[in-house]
Amino acid sequence: MTFATAANKNSCLLPGVNITTLLSLVLCLFTLGLPLRAQITPGAPVTPPEAEPQVSPPAAAPQQSAPTILRIEFQGNRRIRTGTLQARIFSRSGDPYNEDALRRDFQALWNTQYFEDVRLEVQDSANSPNAKIVIFYVVERPIIRRIEYHGIKSITESDILDRFKDRKVGLSVEGQFDPTKIKKAEVVIKDLESEHGHQFAVVKPTYEKIPSTNAVKLVFTIDEGPKVKVGTITFQGNHAFSNRKIIRAMHNSRPIAVPVWLFDVPVMHKTFDRQKLNEDLEAGIRNLYQSAGYFKVVVKDPVLATVDVNREGLGPLPIIGHQHGKATNITIPIEEGEQYHMGRLVIRSADPEKGLSLKREYLESVFPLHQGDLFDISKIRKAIENYNKLYGVYGYIDFTAVPLPDVNENTKTIDLTLDFDEQKQYFVRRIDFSGNTTTRDKVIRRELMLSEGDIFNNHAWELSLLRLNQLDYFDKIKPENAEIKRNTKNATVDILLKLKEKGKQSISLTGGVSGLAGSFIGLSYQTNNFLGLGETLTLSGQIGNIQKSALFGFTEPYLFDRPIATGFTVSYTSFNFNQSQQESILFGQKLQINPSIEQDYTQNTIGGTIFASYPLRKFSFARLGLSYGYSRTDITAYSTASTDLFEVLNFQSLAGPSALTGIVSSYLNPTLTYSTVNGQLNPTGGKSLFYSFKIEGLGGNVKAMTNVLEAKYFHPINHKRNVLAFHFVGAFSTGYGNRVVPPFERLFLGGEQDLRGFDIRTVTPIAFIPLVTSTSLTYLDPTHLDIAGNATRRATPAIPVLTFEPSFPGGDTSGVFNAEYRIPIVGPVTAAAFLDAGAVGILRKDQLQLNGSGLASITSLFHDFTENSLRIQPGTNFKPRASAGIEFVVQLPIINAPFRLYWAYNADRLEQQIAAPITTFRSIDYQSLRQSVGPSLWDSQILPQLQNFQVNTQRINFFEPKTTFRFTVSRTF
């Protein structure tokens, strides 16, 4: 006896070869009019059988025992194992033979979607008369070996795969060929093209069989068609707002335009997207009206008309207004309705049997609208959001506030009732971590502001994640990294925080060229989570043609398991400031500056610090710190300007050349810091404040005080994709105890660290150093004749001359403001538009005081000289500088350094000729010199030369660059 069935077919039972059987077979075929088997080909949708397999009763036979299933076989399966198919059906060998059970097994195999065709056949066993052999003949669906997308231009294959994942299409390489999934993929690709402005895109899926395999290559051929832009936007029925204001509320569809007084000049039209238009209708136009009190405004469905556009640009600017292709003109009907004001406010509990947990008076006082104010929906939404946060602080994480407006048409007011459904108050039962293979649990727990048994405070949990991100031990931790399981019966939550550790140790080799360090190569080793306890160990060295440095440091963030951060650093720095070399690097050619005004010196400093800090209160973002430092500095001056500047200033007890060696600074530096910045390398939110007061003079030979105030602010915008960043730093430095600040500690600006458009350390006031020199002039002496009877040329004795040499001493007060608009482009590449502005100047002119020996050497010859400090050139003290431009930053994780290329335009710069003060030559030897030469010869020949020497003082053409293009390895902030 055999039994056979196929997909989309009915089948007949063939019990034996006799007259009854033949008649039954003919009758069955005549009735159904269908073939016994149909093939299902790839590419065509397959539906399950419409009717169940029919089994005709066998002809009359002698009474016998019920048959059983001897075995179950599967034939035609290649990739899918027999065990897998056996697990999908319900019948087993040895079970009683049951046709209903076989129908169920057949349907179960068909529903797996593994096969194009399934056929069931039942045979009698040749050895056992009451045994049946069940055979399933299957034809597997082919495998998709490759998927190709032809014709895509506006989108990428990555965009398509991401959208497949979001829409759960389930179509992938090595997956089964499923016509249903392919149709769904076609629709998804069309939607994606439509979002990019190709509403007329045509997607055609085809496939090719790969020879000698049961596999296919699937090809999606996409004809994108013309790109559709947003055309003209018009409104009907608007009276409260102008067309311009309504269009400006449509953030997704409005054209990119330049505002010009009462109208906007469109520069570029955006791509038409119906979903974004719907968002503009609701979140843009309707919200605009409802925020102005038009509570019942109706924004009707827009009327869309797609037209061909062929428009040239605007006069001499062909890009502005240029548009070719298709555009969708949008007409939006609006029914404004009446304007309503705020009436009474009622806040009540949604459960009449339970009161409010917080005082009703307080809840009403923080509501932003008062009676008589315009009924502003946006403020009401913000208020509900704030109520959610407020209740979340007290553990009511399921709190909801339902607004119930009651419109009074007579008074045009709206009474608002807020139903507060507080739900249960939740407590923390357990906090667990995963992924911290090295970092110990206690290192993480000590940063959390929640503990087991506490009320689940949403705000405290958000701050806890921020504190963990500030450690920089893990990849950025987001709220979704925390799996919070509620137990509604017991009102508890279990928190599982999933972490991914960063490499705690890094060894990097760096090198490059920057304005500050010149060409350099450096090696650094750092572990920011030593032994998983949070300690930081740093060892670095750098060698360059301008700067050399070495640093060793260690930081313990929790001393004795208390939040006391302690550590130390030992450092060595050698800085070679050669102004000619700096300018040569910046301009890419060999330059030579006059040695009399060029700053050229080498500064070697070795020292160390120890520090400690403690939070002002538990879990505070503010810390109070104190550090002690000791350093010794030696200076070698190579130019006249540097030698004169260092030797004439009274910054230590010694004078002359001895003042340049053994400059010992011993100082205390208390600090106050506050930071909620959410990252160290590329922060996207938060603010920080830093203040330090450094006092030198606890030993050593330097007495100075330095105040530094620094602030940073980062604000995400544009759906948190871009960042607005602001930075300010101000400093004031002064000496005390009849001392001045050492020249190398005075304040300079310029370079990639502050004012990007200006050269390093060139933004400074210009001062003049008084110097006593001597000159000898020649004259014709008629009283002494040569052999030819002519007057001989003789030289005067040395004439003392007081000259003034220009210098760049730096200032004692500085301030810099930086603003950036940062836009991530792709991966580690970021673009930013920036604005830098700042000034540096000398507030205390007595801090450019001359030392005693230098002043005495001048007054001993020039009694009329009464100045005790350097003269400052007018127009250079606190002269504002400003630069604006654009920069591109590549943050390479391998070498852990930001490579930056930027262009800056210096809108505010110094351009003037600097002239030294008038030279003085009337010393105490003046009359004796006049008498030695002879009054008549002196007055007729020597005096005119001295007067000419006096007028033609030294002059400098000081012109700062208009633009700067530079490559550096650094970030401004």
Side-chain angles (χ1 to χ4, degrees), residues 19-320:
I19 298 298
T20 305
T21 301
L22 292 176
L23 290 175
S24 300
L25 178 61
V26 171
L27 180 60
C28 180
L29 294 175
F30 179 79
T31 302
L32 298 178
L34 297 173
L36 290 177
R37 182 176 181 273
Q39 298 296 326
I40 302 174
T41 59
V46 182
T47 57
E50 296 180 358
E52 300 290 342
Q54 300 294 323
V55 180
S56 301
Q63 188 73 22
Q64 55 185 351
S65 60
T68 60
I69 299 175
L70 179 63
R71 65 178 181 272
I72 301 175
E73 297 179 359
F74 298 92
Q75 297 187 14
N77 56 310
R78 297 181 179 180
R79 292 181 299 101
I80 306 172
R81 294 184 299 177
T82 299
T84 301
L85 299 179
Q86 183 67 56
R88 292 284 185 170
I89 64 176
F90 302 93
S91 299
R92 297 291 184 266
S93 299
D95 289 352
Y97 176 75
N98 187 305
E99 294 175 357
D100 291 335
L102 290 180
R103 290 189 184 96
R104 184 177 60 182
D105 293 339
F106 174 86
Q107 196 68 33
L109 284 179
W110 180 255
N111 290 338
T112 61
Q113 301 293 317
Y114 292 160
F115 310 109
E116 286 189 342
D117 189 24
V118 179
R119 184 163 57 89
L120 171 64
E121 185 174 301
V122 179
Q123 299 179 356
D124 293 327
S125 174
N127 300 324
S128 301
N130 287 331
K132 304 291 185 180
I133 301 173
V134 178
I135 305 174
F136 289 96
Y137 295 94
V138 296
V139 178
E140 293 179 343
R141 285 184 173 179
I143 292 296
I144 301 174
R145 290 293 185 207
R146 199 160 66 247
I147 303 177
E148 296 179 357
Y149 304 91
H150 296 168
I152 55 176
K153 299 175 183 177
S154 299
I155 58 177
T156 64
E157 184 174 340
S158 177
D159 295 334
I160 296 175
L161 296 179
D162 290 342
R163 186 57 58 90
F164 282 177
K165 184 177 179 180
D166 293 341
R167 299 288 181 86
K168 299 180 180 180
V169 174
L171 185 68
S172 62
V173 176
E174 299 302 323
Q176 287 187 334
F177 186 93
D178 188 339
T180 304
K181 293 180 180 179
I182 294 173
K183 185 63 178 177
K184 186 176 181 180
E186 178 184 344
V187 174
V188 169
I189 295 175
K190 281 186 176 181
D191 291 343
L192 185 59
E193 287 283 1
S194 178
E195 291 178 10
H196 287 75
H198 297 279
Q199 282 77 21
F200 300 97
V202 177
V203 181
K204 183 180 180 181
T206 58
Y207 68 92
E208 303 173 7
K209 282 200 169 187
I210 300 176
S212 304
T213 63
N214 188 28
V216 297
K217 180 180 77 172
L218 181 60
V219 178
F220 288 93
T221 303
I222 298 109
D223 181 9
E224 293 185 336
K227 194 168 189 176
V228 181
K229 296 283 188 176
V230 176
T232 58
I233 303 177
T234 56
F235 304 95
Q236 296 175 353
N238 59 307
H239 304 288
F241 299 110
S242 64
N243 290 352
R244 182 190 185 194
K245 188 167 185 178
I246 300 176
I247 290 177
R248 291 178 68 85
M250 302 174 66
H251 298 287
N252 298 316
S253 304
R254 69 184 184 190
I256 299 174
V258 178
V260 180
W261 197 38
L262 297 178
F263 58 91
D264 296 334
V265 178
V267 177
M268 184 171 60
H269 291 265
K270 294 182 179 178
T271 301
F272 177 76
D273 186 341
R274 181 55 198 264
Q275 293 182 356
K276 291 183 178 180
L277 175 60
N278 292 338
E279 181 180 339
D280 282 338
L281 297 178
E282 181 65 26
I285 300 176
R286 191 162 184 265
N287 182 67
L288 174 67
Y289 272 92
Q290 290 192 331
S291 297
Y294 294 91
F295 180 69
K296 292 188 175 182
V297 63
V298 177
V299 182
K300 298 182 178 180
D301 290 337
V303 179
L304 306 178
T306 302
V307 297
D308 294 325
V309 178
N310 188 10
R311 183 170 61 243
E312 298 298 332
L314 181 63
L317 302 175
I319 297 178
I320 299 179

Side-chain angles (χ1 to χ4, degrees), residues 517-678:
S519 59
F520 70 96
I521 185 171
L523 179 67
S524 66
Y525 166 82
Q526 180 174 352
T527 172
N528 63 354
N529 191 7
F530 189 59
L531 299 179
L533 295 174
E535 296 96 337
T536 300
L537 181 68
T538 303
L539 179 63
S540 64
Q542 179 177 300
I543 299 175
N545 60 350
I546 293 178
Q547 183 171 341
K548 303 178 181 66
S549 65
L551 173 71
F552 174 72
F554 178 80
T555 302
E556 168 59 61
Y558 267 73
L559 186 64
F560 307 125
D561 287 330
R562 300 189 65 187
I564 304 175
T566 59
F568 69 89
T569 61
V570 178
S571 63
Y572 167 78
T573 302
S574 176
F575 180 68
N576 178 21
F577 183 74
N578 185 315
Q579 199 170 7
S580 296
Q581 186 177 355
Q582 290 282 352
E583 297 294 333
S584 299
I585 292 175
L586 294 173
F587 291 102
Q589 58 183 344
K590 184 65 175 177
L591 298 177
Q592 189 65 40
I593 300 176
N594 186 349
S596 64
I597 64 172
E598 176 194 17
Q599 293 291 338
D600 185 4
Y601 63 90
T602 299
Q603 173 187 326
N604 296 317
T605 302
I606 186 170
T609 61
I610 56 174
F611 57 86
S613 67
Y614 190 80
L616 293 182
R617 64 177 184 272
K618 187 177 181 181
F619 300 125
S620 172
F621 289 97
R623 298 184 73 92
L624 186 64
L626 180 66
S627 63
Y628 169 76
Y630 182 90
S631 66
R632 175 188 171 94
T633 301
D634 296 325
I635 297 176
T636 303
Y638 298 105
S639 68
T640 304
S642 296
T643 302
D644 295 339
L645 176 63
F646 293 148
E647 291 186 1
V648 301
L649 292 183
N650 185 32
F651 64 89
Q652 65 159 312
S653 58
L654 302 177
S658 299
L660 303 184
T661 60
I663 306 171
V664 177
S665 173
S666 176
Y667 63 87
L668 279 178
N669 188 15
T671 61
L672 178 65
T673 60
Y674 174 84
S675 176
T676 59
V677 177
N678 61 3

Side-chain angles (χ1 to χ4, degrees), residues 343 458 487 536 575 625 647 705 797-798 815 820 939 963 969:
N458 257 335
N487 186 328
T536 300
F575 180 68
E647 291 186 1
M705 296 181 293
E820 292 186 4
D939 294 339
T963 61
V969 187

Side-chain angles (χ1 to χ4, degrees), residues 340-356:
Y340 293 87
H341 291 76
M342 180 69 189
R344 293 185 305 108
L345 172 66
V346 177
I347 297 179
R348 66 188 185 188
S349 174
D351 186 357
E353 299 180 358
K354 179 184 176 183
L356 295 171

